[in-house]
Amino acid sequence: TFKVYANDTAGNMGVSETRVVTVNVGAAEHEGVYLEPQSSSASCGGETEVQIWVNATNFQSGQINLTYDPTCVNVTNWAKNTATFPVGTWTHSTGGEWITFASMSSLSGEYKIGTLTIQCVCEDKCSTTLNFVDPSKLFDPSGGEIAGVTWTDGTFECTSGICGDVAPYPGGDGVINMGDVIRLLNHVGNPTEFPVDSWAGDCKCTGDGVINMGDVILLLNHVGNPEEFPLECC
């Protein structure tokens, strides 16, 4: 909104008038409620963060019912965006999350609702849809349901981890190096402080389900000569 006025040749200021200019910045990439990233993944025992966003007009609150396959993944945490939505709750159940959120005034535009921490709980490859199901809804300031909201589901995939890739824990980085050797060594000395999943740390070719110094030495030798000292626990 602009206040517009004119001056004459003598420099006398005229009466100001209001002019409103509407700027169209184009359609948003997403409308409604969606996940960012929409497709995500983690290796066995690993975790990743997935954000929930909303892009709508004249809304103030909402509720989310998110479901997934609990034999494949589990949600371990919900961190709400308290700066925008100071009011809200989170209830976790097997295979589902119930999330509520509300701002202190009406909003229009794109806002992060919060961040899910999703963990892969299956040792084999698996995938699941992250479904927004009824009664997921957005509400206007009067408490009325906003019609026509698009709820874009996401996907999550549990990938097979790399044998011996134990650092950083959990999830690794896809590379076997001295960081993994040190992590495994520290685990043998103090498994509580330095946890490692047995499927990734039991690196001996015979694999006995126990992580010990034999696994540490094999991993160390593998880093120096991977062809002569293969890791076959997986």
Side-chain angles (χ1 to χ4, degrees), residues 3 9 41 56 72 75 87 101 118 157 167 170 194-195 209 229 232:
K3 289 288 188 178
T9 55
S41 65
C72 184
V75 171
V87 179
F101 60 97
I118 305 179
E157 181 181 10
F194 299 97
F229 298 96
E232 300 180 359

Side-chain angles (χ1 to χ4, degrees), residues 43-45 123 160-165 197-202 211 233-234:
S43 60
C44 176
E123 293 190 6
S160 295
I162 300 175
C163 182
D165 182 23
D197 292 312
S198 61
W199 68 267
D202 183 21
I211 300 175
C233 63
C234 298

